[in-house]
Amino acid sequence: MEVGLMRRQWIQYIEGLIHEGTLDGQYLQLLQLQDESNPTFVSEVVTLFFEDTEELLNKLRIAISQPPVDFKKIDDHVHQLKGSSSSIGALRVKNVCVDFRTACEQQSPDWCSSCLQQVEQEFYGVKEKLSYLYALEKRILNAGGSIPADLSF
Amino acid sequence: METSSSSSSSSSSCMKWSCENGYQPHVLAVDDNLVDRKLVEKLLKNSSCKVTTAENGVSALEFLGLLDEHNQHTNFERSNEWQQRSKVNMIITDYCMPGMSGYELLKKIKRSSKMKEVPVVVVSSENVPTRINKCLEEGAEMFMLKPLKQSDVVKLKCQFMN
């Protein structure tokens, strides 16, 4: 596929992710930090986010399933996840974390379980979508093209 | 400290000056979150800063040579390491960290004879006025909300690293 077409596809895809609320403006801020000398900066940082979050989710699953539930520990993990998801623009993940922290405050095991399920759903959703985007980026770069940086929408 | 309305022109002129002179301020960035550390490092490097990151307050104090009071009076001063440490131009620290918080780190820095003149910026994802006041009262030069933008870092560089 021709580079120009792939770049347009890329732009439309990101536009879609923003319109559906999966990503927010913070992701666009990150794109501005990227340039030709470091064209994979964003995908690298987001990949770190994916790895970090997988570990956090594991810890959360364990903490929730072990009575008596340590709500302080769970809240600490969720606070971490809220921070990193906010930093990369994963809006839905961040929003579930806000609820999750309230569930911890209320010390409700059921509400926490439900939040964990939701956060997993949102996380795996954004992971899948961005993985597709990064595969497209790789093809663009391999074809000698560059990833758009200054998006205005 | 107020930024004047001509800040954008003074920002770009101070950026130009620092690029021309090859001036590379050295910033110590402290954050327990890996993703945030990577981001702040990139923001700072994009602004031609040299960056050292630390993942907690204790490592930060260790890097600054503030951990062991005794060491302040030894041959440490003559080593290259100490030369490097004594040239930290700014410290950016996250507020919420397990163990030593950013606030506690700020206090230790501002109460040390060695490092109290180094500007400290505290960052947080939460906008809590009492928290902000506490930090400013303890001597933080600025309190900023996360996530930081490139324009935030440009502002910091111009205000505190010239």
Side-chain angles (χ1 to χ4, degrees):
Chain A
M1 200 190 293
E2 176 246 330
V3 170
L5 189 55
M6 287 195 282
R7 278 169 57 97
R8 278 195 299 280
Q9 243 192 11
W10 184 95
I11 291 175
Q12 278 170 2
Y13 197 71
I14 293 228
E15 212 170 30
L17 292 180
I18 301 231
H19 281 153
E20 75 186 24
T22 298
L23 294 179
D24 65 20
Q26 176 60 14
Y27 195 86
L28 301 182
Q29 286 285 323
L30 294 189
L31 287 173
Q32 293 188 27
L33 300 184
Q34 191 163 261
D35 61 24
E36 262 119 44
S37 66
N38 198 342
T40 52
F41 169 70
V42 181
S43 57
E44 282 166 22
V45 172
V46 175
T47 301
L48 274 177
F49 165 72
F50 291 158
E51 290 164 2
D52 209 40
T53 304
E54 298 271 13
E55 279 181 32
L56 265 176
L57 288 176
N58 257 339
K59 290 180 185 170
L60 280 170
R61 284 173 205 125
I62 292 170
I64 284 187
S65 60
Q66 278 176 352
V69 175
D70 186 345
F71 291 103
K72 169 81 180 56
K73 199 181 209 176
I74 294 175
D75 186 61
D76 286 346
H77 292 324
V78 177
H79 173 79
Q80 280 287 304
L81 181 55
K82 178 169 167 271
S84 49
S85 58
S86 166
S87 293
I88 64 126
L91 182 61
R92 285 181 197 252
V93 176
K94 182 192 85 173
N95 286 342
V96 177
C97 289
V98 173
D99 282 346
F100 207 154
R101 294 199 78 191
T102 310
C104 291
E105 244 175 85
Q106 300 294 313
Q107 306 212 338
S108 163
D110 286 343
W111 191 1
C112 282
S113 289
S114 158
C115 285
L116 177 56
Q117 263 189 329
Q118 282 177 63
V119 98
E120 282 175 325
Q121 199 177 339
E122 294 301 345
F123 170 68
Y124 290 113
V126 72
K127 184 177 174 187
E128 193 182 321
K129 290 171 180 175
L130 288 179
S131 299
Y132 169 81
L133 189 75
Y134 299 148
L136 179 55
E137 282 182 12
K138 220 174 181 177
R139 281 157 48 210
I140 292 172
L141 292 173
N142 286 342
S146 64
I147 297 161
D150 238 328
L151 302 173
S152 41
F153 39 65
Chain B
M1 194 191 275
E2 289 296 309
T3 314
S4 70
S5 56
S6 60
S7 63
S8 55
S9 56
S10 60
S11 300
S12 56
S13 65
C14 97
M15 278 293 286
K16 193 162 171 281
W17 175 85
S18 48
C19 287
E20 279 169 359
N21 283 276
Y23 171 58
Q24 267 207 328
H26 185 181
V27 182
L28 172 65
V30 192
D31 199 315
D32 61 307
N33 190 306
L34 174 62
V35 170
D36 288 346
R37 275 203 304 282
K38 287 287 164 188
L39 288 186
V40 78
E41 184 180 43
K42 181 67 166 160
L43 286 172
L44 289 166
K45 283 187 171 165
N46 277 11
S47 278
S48 308
C49 295
K50 178 176 170 197
V51 189
T52 299
T53 58
E55 53 183 75
N56 56 53
V58 173
S59 309
L61 290 176
E62 197 173 22
F63 181 77
L64 295 169
L66 295 180
L67 199 55
D68 185 348
E69 291 299 323
H70 175 72
N71 276 339
Q72 293 183 30
H73 307 291
T74 66
N75 292 331
F76 225 10
E77 258 113 316
R78 299 192 206 140
S79 72
N80 279 335
E81 247 181 89
W82 166 243
Q83 295 298 327
Q84 218 196 16
R85 286 168 197 190
S86 63
K87 285 181 178 139
V88 166
N89 303 103
M90 164 171 268
I91 298 159
I92 296 182
T93 179
D94 188 23
Y95 181 92
C96 279
M97 295 191 291
M100 187 187 298
S101 72
Y103 174 67
E104 284 155 4
L105 175 61
L106 163 70
K107 272 204 291 196
K108 289 203 159 38
I109 292 167
K110 289 301 177 184
R111 292 177 190 190
S112 73
S113 49
K114 241 185 337 189
M115 294 281 154
K116 65 181 177 196
E117 299 304 322
V118 178
V120 180
V121 173
V122 180
V123 299
S124 174
S125 52
E126 287 155 337
N127 191 348
V128 181
T130 47
R131 180 183 289 189
I132 298 173
N133 287 333
K134 209 165 73 157
C135 290
L136 295 177
E137 269 165 31
E138 199 56 48
E141 268 69 12
M142 209 169 227
F143 186 101
M144 295 184 114
L145 287 180
K146 268 163 67 161
L148 292 180
K149 298 184 167 54
Q150 194 68 66
S151 54
D152 293 328
V153 173
V154 171
K155 196 160 88 166
L156 289 181
K157 192 178 180 191
C158 285
Q159 278 188 281
F160 304 117
M161 295 188 262
N162 272 318

